[in-house]
Amino acid sequence: QEPNKENGIFADSDCDKCATSKQSIADDFMIPRPMKVNQITFWGGYFPDNIPLAVDDFTVILHKDDAGLPGTVVYSQNGIIPAVRTDTCVNIFGVYEYKYILNLPSAPVLTAGIYWVEIFNNTIDNTDSFFWETGMLSPTNGIAGSVWSTEVPAGIWNKDSYTNLSMQINGVPSCVMPWVPLLLLGE
């Protein structure tokens, strides 16, 4: 889901602009066949003073879908430093937009189905809070809406039926071959 360059939602375990000082968000996506997810790309920035962290500290949690909300956790990793953080030269509500590429350690293999990706940064000791930029719904694997929580990691989710987040879920198809016994006959 490409960024729409219109808005962003705070996703930060140390959110100065959030009522509870923390907020997590998640967006859902569909995987049409088994896939080893090894990378997540998304767009965001730092508000209000436009000061990026020296080193980002992202947490990524993948959930199975549970009736339209994030359910069982199937992957969780904190302390992820982006492989790439690129200033896109786009200004969104007075701050720079960045493109992030996170390589997932121990990449999970997901079966076909609907999943949620929860992402938040830890901007402790920074005057800014991290936001995940909103995006345009993907016509192939996107599902309308997102969720947010005032806890990190999230516990209780609040539905936002209208907001989609910018993201690309990257991976390689996973073909798990069934075990087939072979009978070898000798001469």
Side-chain angles (χ1 to χ4, degrees), residues 32-100:
R33 63 183 186 167
M35 182 170 83
K36 183 176 184 178
V37 176
N38 57 18
Q39 192 178 75
I40 298 175
T41 300
F42 58 98
W43 291 257
Y46 309 89
F47 187 84
D49 297 321
N50 199 35
I51 301 171
L53 293 168
V55 178
D56 287 289
D57 179 6
F58 284 103
T59 296
V60 172
I61 304 171
L62 297 175
H63 303 260
K64 289 186 99 171
D65 181 70
D66 183 10
L69 291 172
T72 304
V73 172
V74 296
Y75 176 85
S76 181
Q77 181 69 49
N78 61 349
I80 301 175
I81 298 168
V84 175
R85 178 180 72 190
T86 304
D87 182 344
T88 65
C89 297
V90 170
N91 189 302
I92 177 171
F93 47 83
V95 298
Y96 299 124
E97 172 195 75
Y98 291 89
K99 178 179 180 179
Y100 302 85

Short mmCIF file of all heavy atoms in Angstrom, two decimals, residues 32-100:
data_model
loop_
_atom_site.label_atom_id
_atom_site.label_comp_id
_atom_site.label_asym_id
_atom_site.label_seq_id
_atom_site.Cartn_x
_atom_site.Cartn_y
_atom_site.Cartn_z
N PRO A 32 -2.11 -14.83 -0.31
CA PRO A 32 -2.87 -15.80 -1.10
C PRO A 32 -2.31 -17.23 -1.07
O PRO A 32 -3.03 -18.18 -1.38
CB PRO A 32 -2.81 -15.23 -2.51
CG PRO A 32 -1.61 -14.36 -2.53
CD PRO A 32 -1.42 -13.85 -1.13
N ARG A 33 -1.02 -17.38 -0.72
CA ARG A 33 -0.42 -18.72 -0.63
C ARG A 33 0.70 -18.66 0.41
O ARG A 33 1.16 -17.58 0.77
CB ARG A 33 0.09 -19.18 -1.98
CG ARG A 33 1.19 -18.34 -2.55
CD ARG A 33 1.59 -18.83 -3.92
NE ARG A 33 2.74 -18.07 -4.37
CZ ARG A 33 3.46 -18.41 -5.40
NH1 ARG A 33 3.17 -19.48 -6.08
NH2 ARG A 33 4.49 -17.69 -5.76
N PRO A 34 1.17 -19.80 0.89
CA PRO A 34 2.21 -19.77 1.92
C PRO A 34 3.42 -18.93 1.49
O PRO A 34 3.83 -18.96 0.32
CB PRO A 34 2.60 -21.25 2.06
CG PRO A 34 1.37 -21.99 1.64
CD PRO A 34 0.76 -21.17 0.54
N MET A 35 3.95 -18.16 2.45
CA MET A 35 5.04 -17.25 2.14
C MET A 35 5.94 -17.09 3.36
O MET A 35 5.47 -17.00 4.49
CB MET A 35 4.49 -15.89 1.73
CG MET A 35 5.56 -14.89 1.33
SD MET A 35 4.89 -13.38 0.57
CE MET A 35 4.46 -12.45 2.02
N LYS A 36 7.24 -17.06 3.09
CA LYS A 36 8.22 -16.73 4.12
C LYS A 36 8.38 -15.22 4.10
O LYS A 36 8.92 -14.66 3.15
CB LYS A 36 9.55 -17.42 3.83
CG LYS A 36 10.59 -17.19 4.89
CD LYS A 36 11.86 -17.98 4.58
CE LYS A 36 12.86 -17.81 5.69
NZ LYS A 36 14.07 -18.60 5.41
N VAL A 37 7.88 -14.55 5.13
CA VAL A 37 7.93 -13.09 5.21
C VAL A 37 9.30 -12.69 5.75
O VAL A 37 9.64 -13.02 6.88
CB VAL A 37 6.81 -12.53 6.11
CG1 VAL A 37 6.93 -11.04 6.27
CG2 VAL A 37 5.44 -12.91 5.56
N ASN A 38 10.07 -11.99 4.92
CA ASN A 38 11.42 -11.64 5.35
C ASN A 38 11.67 -10.14 5.43
O ASN A 38 12.71 -9.71 5.91
CB ASN A 38 12.47 -12.30 4.45
CG ASN A 38 12.30 -11.95 2.99
OD1 ASN A 38 11.63 -10.97 2.65
ND2 ASN A 38 12.89 -12.74 2.13
N GLN A 39 10.68 -9.34 5.00
CA GLN A 39 10.93 -7.89 4.97
C GLN A 39 9.61 -7.13 4.99
O GLN A 39 8.62 -7.54 4.39
CB GLN A 39 11.69 -7.56 3.69
CG GLN A 39 12.26 -6.18 3.63
CD GLN A 39 13.03 -6.01 2.33
OE1 GLN A 39 12.44 -5.88 1.28
NE2 GLN A 39 14.36 -6.05 2.41
N ILE A 40 9.61 -6.00 5.70
CA ILE A 40 8.46 -5.11 5.71
C ILE A 40 8.96 -3.71 5.37
O ILE A 40 9.95 -3.24 5.95
CB ILE A 40 7.75 -5.10 7.08
CG1 ILE A 40 7.21 -6.50 7.39
CG2 ILE A 40 6.62 -4.07 7.11
CD1 ILE A 40 6.61 -6.65 8.77
N THR A 41 8.29 -3.08 4.43
CA THR A 41 8.59 -1.71 4.04
C THR A 41 7.40 -0.84 4.42
O THR A 41 6.25 -1.24 4.22
CB THR A 41 8.84 -1.62 2.51
OG1 THR A 41 9.95 -2.48 2.17
CG2 THR A 41 9.13 -0.21 2.07
N PHE A 42 7.67 0.33 4.97
CA PHE A 42 6.59 1.26 5.31
C PHE A 42 7.17 2.67 5.34
O PHE A 42 8.37 2.87 5.23
CB PHE A 42 5.93 0.89 6.65
CG PHE A 42 6.89 0.83 7.81
CD1 PHE A 42 7.01 1.90 8.68
CD2 PHE A 42 7.67 -0.28 8.02
CE1 PHE A 42 7.88 1.85 9.75
CE2 PHE A 42 8.55 -0.35 9.09
CZ PHE A 42 8.66 0.73 9.96
N TRP A 43 6.28 3.66 5.47
CA TRP A 43 6.69 5.06 5.45
C TRP A 43 6.21 5.73 6.73
O TRP A 43 5.18 5.37 7.29
CB TRP A 43 6.08 5.77 4.24
CG TRP A 43 6.66 5.32 2.94
CD1 TRP A 43 7.58 6.00 2.18
CD2 TRP A 43 6.38 4.12 2.21
NE1 TRP A 43 7.89 5.28 1.05
CE2 TRP A 43 7.16 4.12 1.04
CE3 TRP A 43 5.54 3.02 2.43
CZ2 TRP A 43 7.13 3.09 0.11
CZ3 TRP A 43 5.51 1.99 1.50
CH2 TRP A 43 6.30 2.03 0.36
N GLY A 44 6.97 6.72 7.19
CA GLY A 44 6.59 7.42 8.42
C GLY A 44 7.53 8.58 8.67
O GLY A 44 8.24 9.03 7.76
N GLY A 45 7.54 9.06 9.90
CA GLY A 45 8.38 10.19 10.24
C GLY A 45 8.31 10.52 11.72
O GLY A 45 7.80 9.74 12.53
N TYR A 46 8.82 11.72 12.07
CA TYR A 46 8.98 12.14 13.45
C TYR A 46 8.31 13.49 13.62
O TYR A 46 8.64 14.44 12.92
CB TYR A 46 10.47 12.22 13.79
CG TYR A 46 11.19 10.94 13.41
CD1 TYR A 46 11.75 10.79 12.14
CD2 TYR A 46 11.27 9.88 14.29
CE1 TYR A 46 12.37 9.62 11.77
CE2 TYR A 46 11.91 8.70 13.93
CZ TYR A 46 12.45 8.57 12.67
OH TYR A 46 13.06 7.41 12.30
N PHE A 47 7.39 13.57 14.57
CA PHE A 47 6.59 14.78 14.77
C PHE A 47 6.67 15.20 16.23
O PHE A 47 6.67 14.35 17.11
CB PHE A 47 5.13 14.47 14.38
CG PHE A 47 4.24 15.66 14.38
CD1 PHE A 47 4.19 16.48 13.27
CD2 PHE A 47 3.48 15.97 15.49
CE1 PHE A 47 3.37 17.60 13.27
CE2 PHE A 47 2.66 17.07 15.50
CZ PHE A 47 2.61 17.90 14.39
N PRO A 48 6.77 16.49 16.52
CA PRO A 48 6.56 17.67 15.69
C PRO A 48 7.83 18.35 15.19
O PRO A 48 7.78 19.19 14.31
CB PRO A 48 5.82 18.62 16.62
CG PRO A 48 6.43 18.34 17.97
CD PRO A 48 6.72 16.86 17.96
N ASP A 49 9.00 17.99 15.77
CA ASP A 49 10.21 18.75 15.47
C ASP A 49 11.06 18.20 14.35
O ASP A 49 12.12 18.75 14.05
CB ASP A 49 11.07 18.87 16.74
CG ASP A 49 10.36 19.65 17.83
OD1 ASP A 49 9.68 20.63 17.51
OD2 ASP A 49 10.48 19.24 19.01
N ASN A 50 10.61 17.08 13.72
CA ASN A 50 11.30 16.54 12.56
C ASN A 50 12.72 16.06 12.89
O ASN A 50 13.64 16.23 12.11
CB ASN A 50 11.34 17.60 11.44
CG ASN A 50 11.60 16.98 10.09
OD1 ASN A 50 11.16 15.89 9.80
ND2 ASN A 50 12.33 17.70 9.26
N ILE A 51 12.87 15.45 14.09
CA ILE A 51 14.18 14.99 14.52
C ILE A 51 14.19 13.46 14.52
O ILE A 51 13.60 12.83 15.40
CB ILE A 51 14.54 15.52 15.92
CG1 ILE A 51 14.52 17.05 15.92
CG2 ILE A 51 15.89 14.97 16.38
CD1 ILE A 51 14.65 17.67 17.30
N PRO A 52 14.84 12.83 13.53
CA PRO A 52 14.90 11.36 13.52
C PRO A 52 15.81 10.84 14.63
O PRO A 52 16.72 11.54 15.09
CB PRO A 52 15.47 11.03 12.14
CG PRO A 52 16.12 12.26 11.67
CD PRO A 52 15.49 13.43 12.38
N LEU A 53 15.56 9.64 15.04
CA LEU A 53 16.42 8.99 16.03
C LEU A 53 17.78 8.70 15.41
O LEU A 53 17.88 8.45 14.20
CB LEU A 53 15.80 7.67 16.48
CG LEU A 53 14.50 7.77 17.26
CD1 LEU A 53 13.86 6.40 17.38
CD2 LEU A 53 14.76 8.34 18.63
N ALA A 54 18.81 8.66 16.23
CA ALA A 54 20.11 8.23 15.73
C ALA A 54 20.00 6.78 15.28
O ALA A 54 20.51 6.40 14.23
CB ALA A 54 21.17 8.38 16.82
N VAL A 55 19.29 5.96 16.06
CA VAL A 55 19.05 4.56 15.73
C VAL A 55 17.61 4.23 16.11
O VAL A 55 17.24 4.33 17.28
CB VAL A 55 20.02 3.62 16.49
CG1 VAL A 55 19.72 2.16 16.16
CG2 VAL A 55 21.47 3.95 16.17
N ASP A 56 16.81 3.84 15.13
CA ASP A 56 15.43 3.44 15.41
C ASP A 56 15.41 2.11 16.14
O ASP A 56 16.33 1.30 16.03
CB ASP A 56 14.63 3.31 14.10
CG ASP A 56 14.33 4.66 13.49
OD1 ASP A 56 13.50 5.39 14.06
OD2 ASP A 56 14.91 4.98 12.44
N ASP A 57 14.33 1.88 16.88
CA ASP A 57 14.16 0.66 17.68
C ASP A 57 12.72 0.17 17.48
O ASP A 57 11.85 0.44 18.29
CB ASP A 57 14.44 0.99 19.15
CG ASP A 57 14.28 -0.19 20.07
OD1 ASP A 57 14.06 -1.32 19.59
OD2 ASP A 57 14.37 0.02 21.30
N PHE A 58 12.47 -0.54 16.37
CA PHE A 58 11.13 -0.97 16.02
C PHE A 58 10.79 -2.33 16.61
O PHE A 58 11.65 -3.20 16.75
CB PHE A 58 10.96 -1.06 14.50
CG PHE A 58 10.81 0.28 13.84
CD1 PHE A 58 11.88 0.85 13.17
CD2 PHE A 58 9.61 0.97 13.89
CE1 PHE A 58 11.76 2.09 12.56
CE2 PHE A 58 9.47 2.21 13.29
CZ PHE A 58 10.55 2.77 12.61
N THR A 59 9.51 -2.49 16.92
CA THR A 59 8.94 -3.78 17.28
C THR A 59 7.95 -4.15 16.19
O THR A 59 7.14 -3.30 15.77
CB THR A 59 8.23 -3.72 18.64
OG1 THR A 59 9.20 -3.44 19.65
CG2 THR A 59 7.52 -5.04 18.96
N VAL A 60 8.02 -5.39 15.71
CA VAL A 60 7.08 -5.90 14.70
C VAL A 60 6.41 -7.13 15.29
O VAL A 60 7.09 -8.04 15.77
CB VAL A 60 7.81 -6.27 13.39
CG1 VAL A 60 6.85 -6.98 12.43
CG2 VAL A 60 8.42 -5.04 12.74
N ILE A 61 5.09 -7.13 15.25
CA ILE A 61 4.31 -8.27 15.73
C ILE A 61 3.32 -8.65 14.63
O ILE A 61 2.57 -7.80 14.16
CB ILE A 61 3.56 -7.93 17.03
CG1 ILE A 61 4.55 -7.44 18.10
CG2 ILE A 61 2.78 -9.15 17.52
CD1 ILE A 61 3.90 -6.88 19.34
N LEU A 62 3.35 -9.91 14.21
CA LEU A 62 2.40 -10.41 13.22
C LEU A 62 1.35 -11.23 13.96
O LEU A 62 1.69 -12.08 14.79
CB LEU A 62 3.09 -11.27 12.17
CG LEU A 62 4.14 -10.55 11.31
CD1 LEU A 62 4.84 -11.55 10.40
CD2 LEU A 62 3.50 -9.45 10.50
N HIS A 63 0.09 -10.93 13.64
CA HIS A 63 -1.05 -11.61 14.27
C HIS A 63 -1.87 -12.32 13.20
O HIS A 63 -2.03 -11.79 12.09
CB HIS A 63 -2.00 -10.60 14.93
CG HIS A 63 -1.40 -9.71 15.94
ND1 HIS A 63 -1.53 -9.95 17.29
CD2 HIS A 63 -0.70 -8.55 15.83
CE1 HIS A 63 -0.93 -8.97 17.97
NE2 HIS A 63 -0.41 -8.12 17.10
N LYS A 64 -2.47 -13.45 13.55
CA LYS A 64 -3.51 -14.05 12.71
C LYS A 64 -4.76 -13.20 12.89
O LYS A 64 -4.97 -12.59 13.94
CB LYS A 64 -3.79 -15.49 13.13
CG LYS A 64 -2.68 -16.45 12.79
CD LYS A 64 -3.08 -17.86 13.08
CE LYS A 64 -3.51 -18.44 11.75
NZ LYS A 64 -3.74 -19.87 11.80
N ASP A 65 -5.59 -13.17 11.87
CA ASP A 65 -6.86 -12.45 11.96
C ASP A 65 -7.83 -13.22 12.85
O ASP A 65 -7.91 -14.44 12.79
CB ASP A 65 -7.47 -12.29 10.56
CG ASP A 65 -8.76 -11.51 10.60
OD1 ASP A 65 -8.72 -10.30 10.85
OD2 ASP A 65 -9.83 -12.13 10.40
N ASP A 66 -8.56 -12.48 13.67
CA ASP A 66 -9.58 -13.06 14.53
C ASP A 66 -10.85 -12.24 14.37
O ASP A 66 -11.06 -11.25 15.09
CB ASP A 66 -9.11 -13.07 15.99
CG ASP A 66 -10.10 -13.74 16.92
OD1 ASP A 66 -11.07 -14.37 16.44
OD2 ASP A 66 -9.91 -13.63 18.15
N ALA A 67 -11.66 -12.61 13.38
CA ALA A 67 -12.95 -11.94 13.12
C ALA A 67 -12.79 -10.44 12.91
O ALA A 67 -13.53 -9.63 13.45
CB ALA A 67 -13.94 -12.24 14.24
N GLY A 68 -11.77 -10.05 12.13
CA GLY A 68 -11.59 -8.64 11.79
C GLY A 68 -10.73 -7.84 12.73
O GLY A 68 -10.61 -6.62 12.59
N LEU A 69 -10.08 -8.51 13.69
CA LEU A 69 -9.15 -7.85 14.61
C LEU A 69 -7.89 -8.71 14.74
O LEU A 69 -7.94 -9.92 14.48
CB LEU A 69 -9.78 -7.69 16.00
CG LEU A 69 -10.93 -6.70 16.12
CD1 LEU A 69 -11.56 -6.80 17.51
CD2 LEU A 69 -10.47 -5.27 15.84
N PRO A 70 -6.77 -8.13 15.18
CA PRO A 70 -5.59 -8.94 15.40
C PRO A 70 -5.85 -9.99 16.48
O PRO A 70 -6.45 -9.69 17.52
CB PRO A 70 -4.54 -7.93 15.87
CG PRO A 70 -5.00 -6.62 15.29
CD PRO A 70 -6.49 -6.69 15.35
N GLY A 71 -5.42 -11.21 16.21
CA GLY A 71 -5.63 -12.31 17.15
C GLY A 71 -4.31 -12.88 17.63
O GLY A 71 -3.41 -12.15 18.05
N THR A 72 -4.17 -14.18 17.52
CA THR A 72 -2.99 -14.90 17.99
C THR A 72 -1.71 -14.35 17.36
O THR A 72 -1.64 -14.14 16.15
CB THR A 72 -3.13 -16.39 17.63
OG1 THR A 72 -4.35 -16.88 18.20
CG2 THR A 72 -1.97 -17.20 18.17
N VAL A 73 -0.71 -14.14 18.19
CA VAL A 73 0.60 -13.68 17.70
C VAL A 73 1.32 -14.87 17.07
O VAL A 73 1.46 -15.93 17.68
CB VAL A 73 1.45 -13.10 18.85
CG1 VAL A 73 2.87 -12.81 18.39
CG2 VAL A 73 0.79 -11.84 19.41
N VAL A 74 1.78 -14.68 15.82
CA VAL A 74 2.53 -15.72 15.12
C VAL A 74 4.00 -15.35 14.94
O VAL A 74 4.81 -16.19 14.56
CB VAL A 74 1.89 -16.06 13.75
CG1 VAL A 74 0.50 -16.65 13.93
CG2 VAL A 74 1.84 -14.84 12.84
N TYR A 75 4.34 -14.10 15.23
CA TYR A 75 5.73 -13.64 15.14
C TYR A 75 5.85 -12.37 15.95
O TYR A 75 4.97 -11.50 15.89
CB TYR A 75 6.11 -13.37 13.69
CG TYR A 75 7.51 -12.79 13.52
CD1 TYR A 75 8.62 -13.63 13.44
CD2 TYR A 75 7.72 -11.43 13.44
CE1 TYR A 75 9.90 -13.12 13.29
CE2 TYR A 75 9.00 -10.90 13.29
CZ TYR A 75 10.08 -11.75 13.21
OH TYR A 75 11.35 -11.25 13.07
N SER A 76 6.94 -12.23 16.68
CA SER A 76 7.19 -11.01 17.46
C SER A 76 8.68 -10.80 17.57
O SER A 76 9.43 -11.73 17.90
CB SER A 76 6.56 -11.14 18.85
OG SER A 76 6.78 -9.96 19.59
N GLN A 77 9.11 -9.58 17.27
CA GLN A 77 10.54 -9.25 17.37
C GLN A 77 10.66 -7.78 17.74
O GLN A 77 10.06 -6.92 17.09
CB GLN A 77 11.24 -9.52 16.04
CG GLN A 77 12.72 -9.24 16.06
CD GLN A 77 13.49 -10.22 16.92
OE1 GLN A 77 13.32 -11.42 16.81
NE2 GLN A 77 14.34 -9.73 17.81
N ASN A 78 11.42 -7.50 18.78
CA ASN A 78 11.68 -6.10 19.13
C ASN A 78 13.14 -5.79 18.84
O ASN A 78 13.93 -6.66 18.51
CB ASN A 78 11.30 -5.81 20.58
CG ASN A 78 12.10 -6.64 21.56
OD1 ASN A 78 12.79 -7.57 21.20
ND2 ASN A 78 12.00 -6.29 22.82
N GLY A 79 13.49 -4.51 18.94
CA GLY A 79 14.87 -4.10 18.71
C GLY A 79 15.32 -4.18 17.27
O GLY A 79 16.51 -4.32 17.00
N ILE A 80 14.37 -4.08 16.34
CA ILE A 80 14.75 -4.14 14.92
C ILE A 80 15.22 -2.76 14.46
O ILE A 80 14.49 -1.78 14.57
CB ILE A 80 13.58 -4.62 14.04
CG1 ILE A 80 13.11 -6.00 14.47
CG2 ILE A 80 13.99 -4.63 12.56
CD1 ILE A 80 11.89 -6.51 13.73
N ILE A 81 16.42 -2.72 13.96
CA ILE A 81 16.99 -1.50 13.39
C ILE A 81 16.77 -1.57 11.89
O ILE A 81 17.07 -2.59 11.27
CB ILE A 81 18.49 -1.39 13.71
CG1 ILE A 81 18.69 -1.33 15.24
CG2 ILE A 81 19.12 -0.19 13.02
CD1 ILE A 81 20.13 -1.50 15.68
N PRO A 82 16.21 -0.52 11.28
CA PRO A 82 15.96 -0.58 9.83
C PRO A 82 17.23 -0.86 9.04
O PRO A 82 18.29 -0.31 9.33
CB PRO A 82 15.42 0.80 9.49
CG PRO A 82 14.92 1.36 10.78
CD PRO A 82 15.79 0.75 11.85
N ALA A 83 17.11 -1.74 8.04
CA ALA A 83 18.21 -1.95 7.11
C ALA A 83 18.39 -0.68 6.27
O ALA A 83 19.50 -0.35 5.87
CB ALA A 83 17.91 -3.14 6.20
N VAL A 84 17.27 0.01 6.03
CA VAL A 84 17.27 1.25 5.26
C VAL A 84 16.29 2.23 5.89
O VAL A 84 15.17 1.85 6.23
CB VAL A 84 16.86 1.00 3.79
CG1 VAL A 84 16.75 2.31 3.02
CG2 VAL A 84 17.83 0.05 3.11
N ARG A 85 16.73 3.47 6.07
CA ARG A 85 15.86 4.59 6.41
C ARG A 85 16.24 5.71 5.46
O ARG A 85 17.31 6.29 5.57
CB ARG A 85 16.03 5.04 7.86
CG ARG A 85 15.13 6.26 8.19
CD ARG A 85 15.28 6.73 9.62
NE ARG A 85 16.55 7.39 9.83
CZ ARG A 85 17.02 7.74 11.02
NH1 ARG A 85 16.35 7.46 12.11
NH2 ARG A 85 18.19 8.34 11.13
N THR A 86 15.35 5.99 4.50
CA THR A 86 15.66 6.94 3.44
C THR A 86 14.72 8.14 3.49
O THR A 86 13.50 7.97 3.51
CB THR A 86 15.50 6.26 2.05
OG1 THR A 86 16.32 5.10 2.02
CG2 THR A 86 15.88 7.21 0.93
N ASP A 87 15.28 9.33 3.51
CA ASP A 87 14.49 10.55 3.39
C ASP A 87 13.98 10.61 1.95
O ASP A 87 14.78 10.61 1.01
CB ASP A 87 15.36 11.76 3.71
CG ASP A 87 14.62 13.08 3.66
OD1 ASP A 87 13.50 13.15 3.11
OD2 ASP A 87 15.18 14.07 4.17
N THR A 88 12.67 10.64 1.75
CA THR A 88 12.09 10.61 0.41
C THR A 88 12.01 11.98 -0.24
O THR A 88 11.55 12.09 -1.38
CB THR A 88 10.68 10.00 0.44
OG1 THR A 88 9.83 10.88 1.20
CG2 THR A 88 10.69 8.60 1.03
N CYS A 89 12.40 13.03 0.48
CA CYS A 89 12.31 14.42 0.00
C CYS A 89 10.86 14.88 -0.12
O CYS A 89 10.57 15.85 -0.82
CB CYS A 89 13.05 14.61 -1.32
SG CYS A 89 14.83 14.30 -1.17
N VAL A 90 9.95 14.18 0.55
CA VAL A 90 8.54 14.58 0.60
C VAL A 90 8.30 15.21 1.97
O VAL A 90 8.75 14.70 2.98
CB VAL A 90 7.61 13.37 0.39
CG1 VAL A 90 6.16 13.72 0.68
CG2 VAL A 90 7.76 12.82 -1.02
N ASN A 91 7.58 16.33 1.98
CA ASN A 91 7.21 16.99 3.21
C ASN A 91 5.75 16.69 3.49
O ASN A 91 4.89 16.92 2.64
CB ASN A 91 7.44 18.50 3.07
CG ASN A 91 7.28 19.21 4.39
OD1 ASN A 91 6.24 19.14 5.02
ND2 ASN A 91 8.32 19.92 4.78
N ILE A 92 5.46 16.13 4.66
CA ILE A 92 4.10 15.81 5.04
C ILE A 92 3.80 16.50 6.37
O ILE A 92 4.48 16.27 7.34
CB ILE A 92 3.88 14.28 5.10
CG1 ILE A 92 2.49 13.93 5.56
CG2 ILE A 92 4.91 13.58 5.92
CD1 ILE A 92 2.14 12.46 5.44
N PHE A 93 2.83 17.36 6.36
CA PHE A 93 2.42 18.24 7.48
C PHE A 93 3.62 18.80 8.25
O PHE A 93 3.68 18.80 9.46
CB PHE A 93 1.37 17.59 8.40
CG PHE A 93 1.63 16.19 8.86
CD1 PHE A 93 2.46 15.92 9.94
CD2 PHE A 93 1.02 15.13 8.22
CE1 PHE A 93 2.68 14.62 10.36
CE2 PHE A 93 1.24 13.83 8.65
CZ PHE A 93 2.07 13.59 9.72
N GLY A 94 4.59 19.32 7.49
CA GLY A 94 5.71 20.05 8.07
C GLY A 94 6.92 19.24 8.48
O GLY A 94 7.88 19.80 9.02
N VAL A 95 6.91 17.92 8.26
CA VAL A 95 8.07 17.09 8.60
C VAL A 95 8.42 16.20 7.41
O VAL A 95 7.62 16.03 6.50
CB VAL A 95 7.81 16.23 9.87
CG1 VAL A 95 7.55 17.10 11.08
CG2 VAL A 95 6.67 15.25 9.66
N TYR A 96 9.61 15.63 7.44
CA TYR A 96 10.06 14.78 6.34
C TYR A 96 9.43 13.39 6.42
O TYR A 96 9.22 12.85 7.50
CB TYR A 96 11.58 14.63 6.35
CG TYR A 96 12.32 15.92 6.17
CD1 TYR A 96 13.26 16.32 7.10
CD2 TYR A 96 12.07 16.76 5.08
CE1 TYR A 96 13.95 17.51 6.94
CE2 TYR A 96 12.75 17.95 4.92
CZ TYR A 96 13.68 18.32 5.86
OH TYR A 96 14.36 19.50 5.71
N GLU A 97 9.17 12.84 5.24
CA GLU A 97 8.71 11.46 5.12
C GLU A 97 9.94 10.59 4.93
O GLU A 97 10.82 10.92 4.15
CB GLU A 97 7.78 11.34 3.91
CG GLU A 97 7.40 9.91 3.58
CD GLU A 97 6.80 9.77 2.19
OE1 GLU A 97 7.59 9.85 1.20
OE2 GLU A 97 5.58 9.62 2.09
N TYR A 98 9.97 9.45 5.65
CA TYR A 98 11.04 8.48 5.50
C TYR A 98 10.46 7.16 5.04
O TYR A 98 9.34 6.79 5.42
CB TYR A 98 11.78 8.26 6.83
CG TYR A 98 12.59 9.43 7.26
CD1 TYR A 98 12.03 10.43 8.05
CD2 TYR A 98 13.93 9.56 6.89
CE1 TYR A 98 12.77 11.53 8.46
CE2 TYR A 98 14.68 10.65 7.30
CZ TYR A 98 14.10 11.63 8.07
OH TYR A 98 14.84 12.72 8.48
N LYS A 99 11.24 6.44 4.26
CA LYS A 99 10.90 5.08 3.86
C LYS A 99 11.78 4.15 4.69
O LYS A 99 13.00 4.33 4.74
CB LYS A 99 11.16 4.87 2.37
CG LYS A 99 10.88 3.46 1.88
CD LYS A 99 11.16 3.34 0.39
CE LYS A 99 10.88 1.94 -0.11
NZ LYS A 99 11.12 1.84 -1.58
N TYR A 100 11.15 3.17 5.33
CA TYR A 100 11.85 2.22 6.18
C TYR A 100 11.77 0.83 5.56
O TYR A 100 10.71 0.43 5.08
CB TYR A 100 11.20 2.15 7.57
CG TYR A 100 11.16 3.48 8.26
CD1 TYR A 100 10.12 4.37 8.03
CD2 TYR A 100 12.15 3.85 9.15
CE1 TYR A 100 10.07 5.61 8.65
CE2 TYR A 100 12.12 5.08 9.79
CZ TYR A 100 11.08 5.95 9.53
OH TYR A 100 11.04 7.17 10.15
#
